[in-house]
Amino acid sequence: MAPGTTSSEQPQPPTSSATTALPNSATDGSTAGSPSTKQQYTPSTNSSTSSLSSQRSAAAGKSVADRPIRIGFAMDTLVEERWKKDRQLFIQAAHRLGAEVTVQSANSDDAIQIEQAEQMISEGVDVLVIVPHNAEATAAIVNRAHRAGIKVLSYDRLVKNADVDLYVSFDNEQVGRLQAEAITKLVPEGKYVYIGGADTDNNAHMFKQGVFDVLQPRIDDGQIRVVYDQWSRDWKPSNAENNMREALTANHNKVDAVIVANDGTAGGAVAALEERGLAGRIPVAGQDADLAAIRRIVAGTQTMTVYKPIGKLAEITAEMAVKLAKDESITAKQYVNNGKIEVPSILLSPIEVNRNNIDQTVIADGFHSRQEVYGK
């Protein structure tokens, strides 16, 4: 956390975690640049929303022009390394813009996430940023926030079937395409195993779509046969490990390639391969560029990962959240359908990482240090 930033616990349901980050009295006023855009998008407002916003500002005693913007950050989980980095980077980015952040983590529990979001709404945050656990269930959060005059930004994962004001993420189908392209170069034909993420996470479906965009022509030609295809509930590595065991058992250990939806679940798959003496002999793809995965790539037990520069994601999201809170126009380059509307979206480009470009990507960006990756 940046110097001068304070942290305190917020009232919350059991088994969750919360952090409030406050800006220094003086900020550097820096902002993150957003990608070039095709058109302007102005978040919709109506008379009831404006009235509710005025009531909240009056209750706070100051308008958003006279006090720090208050951002509620409703996160699914902080168990995985990647999400801890998101939290830290987002707080730092918001701090640079003079905003304060309240972070709540739901430990992958839908009811807790909804309750935490409602708590932040009732406490009068100016904008709500959500990393949904369940893409469908969190629609209730968007509806509740809008009734209170609070706009909602979907961070990295898209909330489905709701009037989300903005979505900031990576091109998640491209993540899957990068995985499949890397593996098919090494294994152009053979038996493939696909282990997905949580079926409740829209990103997991987008990753899979990207993978099969690349695999399908080879499947149709008979070059590749997908002999196992299963989701991993709640993104748990233990569930992915069990999936990998099932795949190996069903195919008498004769599989040629494995694509897994993220690095946490890839770790589970590699653990199952190690049990059978197959780790390092079968190519494995993951994504997120977790430190453990980068180390596996160095060791040869994982083939590649996909790096998503979350520092840039956090900076752009913080900037957009502040703009939403101020009812300022936002540039939207793309739109993503969430089942209800075409959500204005900013999608960043992911990057393939393998043994040959670790130094030029995650280390060069400071995402991981050389010592963390290679040791002394």
Side-chain angles (χ1 to χ4, degrees):
M1 195 170 291
T5 301
T6 62
S7 175
S8 62
E9 294 296 321
Q10 302 293 314
Q12 58 191 302
T15 73
S16 61
S17 60
T19 306
T20 299
L22 305 174
N24 287 333
S25 56
T27 63
D28 61 17
S30 62
T31 60
S34 58
S36 60
T37 57
K38 293 190 293 187
Q39 57 187 299
Q40 290 282 334
Y41 163 70
T42 304
S44 61
T45 58
N46 54 47
S47 58
S48 60
T49 294
S50 298
S51 175
L52 282 166
S53 297
S54 297
Q55 290 172 16
R56 290 191 304 107
S57 294
K62 294 182 180 180
S63 71
V64 292
D66 301 323
R67 58 166 174 77
I69 296 294
R70 297 186 297 259
I71 302 173
F73 194 16
M75 302 188 73
D76 167 26
T77 179
L78 288 170
V79 171
E80 293 173 306
E81 170 199 323
R82 179 258 155 102
W83 295 111
K84 293 175 184 176
K85 285 181 178 285
D86 282 86
R87 175 183 61 179
Q88 177 185 6
L89 291 167
F90 182 78
I91 289 174
Q92 291 172 347
H95 167 80
R96 289 193 293 271
L97 296 169
E100 62 185 44
V101 182
T102 296
V103 178
Q104 297 269 13
S105 172
N107 293 333
S108 299
D109 187 301
D110 294 338
I112 289 178
Q113 185 164 46
I114 291 170
E115 186 173 348
Q116 288 175 339
E118 288 181 342
Q119 174 188 319
M120 287 189 278
I121 290 166
S122 68
E123 290 173 350
V125 296
D126 299 302
V127 62
L128 191 62
V129 177
I130 303 177
V131 182
H133 169 247
N134 184 314
E136 301 280 352
T138 42
I141 295 174
V142 178
N143 297 335
R144 173 69 183 87
H146 282 177
R147 287 197 297 272
I150 299 169
K151 293 184 175 64
V152 180
L153 188 155
S154 223
Y155 181 97
D156 195 58
R157 299 175 180 173
L158 184 61
V159 177
K160 299 293 293 284
N161 296 314
D163 295 314
V164 179
D165 296 286
L166 187 67
Y167 173 45
V168 185
S169 186
F170 292 88
D171 184 337
N172 292 308
E173 290 188 12
Q174 179 64 9
V175 169
R177 286 191 289 269
L178 289 174
Q179 290 181 302
E181 287 166 0
I183 297 301
T184 54
K185 285 178 184 177
L186 296 173
V187 186
E189 57 184 43
K191 295 181 178 180
Y192 271 59
V193 169
Y194 184 76
I195 298 176
D199 188 27
T200 55
D201 182 349
N202 187 63
N203 279 10
H205 291 270
M206 296 175 79
F207 298 147
K208 184 175 181 179
Q209 181 62 55
V211 167
F212 279 84
D213 282 348
V214 174
L215 296 187
Q216 197 60 53
R218 294 178 182 271
I219 293 171
D220 294 341
D221 289 344
Q223 294 174 295
I224 287 175
R225 185 155 64 97
V226 178
V227 296
Y228 188 88
D229 178 354
Q230 188 57 264
W231 303 104
S232 301
R233 184 175 179 179
D234 290 334
W235 291 98
K236 289 184 177 178
S238 58
N239 291 333
E241 185 173 349
N242 289 334
N243 286 337
M244 191 70 241
R245 286 197 193 101
E246 287 181 2
L248 291 170
T249 299
N251 292 278
H252 308 289
N253 290 346
K254 296 186 182 301
V255 299
D256 300 299
V258 181
I259 300 176
V260 195
N262 78 347
D263 285 337
T265 46
V270 169
L273 290 169
E274 285 176 341
E275 290 177 354
R276 310 286 177 99
L278 297 172
R281 296 170 57 187
I282 298 173
V284 177
Q287 67 98 8
D288 274 341
D290 285 353
L291 179 58
I294 298 296
R295 287 172 172 169
R296 287 194 296 269
I297 291 172
V298 171
T301 56
Q302 184 168 324
T303 308
M304 63 85 69
T305 186
V306 180
Y307 171 45
K308 299 183 293 189
I310 58 176
K312 186 175 182 181
L313 176 69
E315 288 177 358
I316 291 175
T317 301
E319 181 185 358
M320 296 301 106
V322 169
K323 287 190 173 189
L324 284 174
K326 294 180 177 180
D327 287 327
E328 294 180 359
S329 294
I330 289 176
T331 52
K333 183 177 182 180
Q334 295 170 277
Y335 290 79
V336 177
N337 190 289
N338 74 344
K340 184 175 183 181
I341 66 168
E342 296 290 330
V343 181
S345 304
I346 298 172
L347 302 179
L348 309 179
S349 298
I351 301 166
E352 177 188 349
V353 175
N354 54 47
R355 186 183 285 182
N356 296 323
N357 70 346
I358 291 172
D359 289 4
Q360 294 77 33
T361 54
V362 294
I363 291 178
D365 280 4
F367 192 71
H368 301 305
S369 71
R370 173 174 291 276
Q371 183 170 347
E372 286 175 326
V373 171
Y374 298 109
K376 295 182 180 180

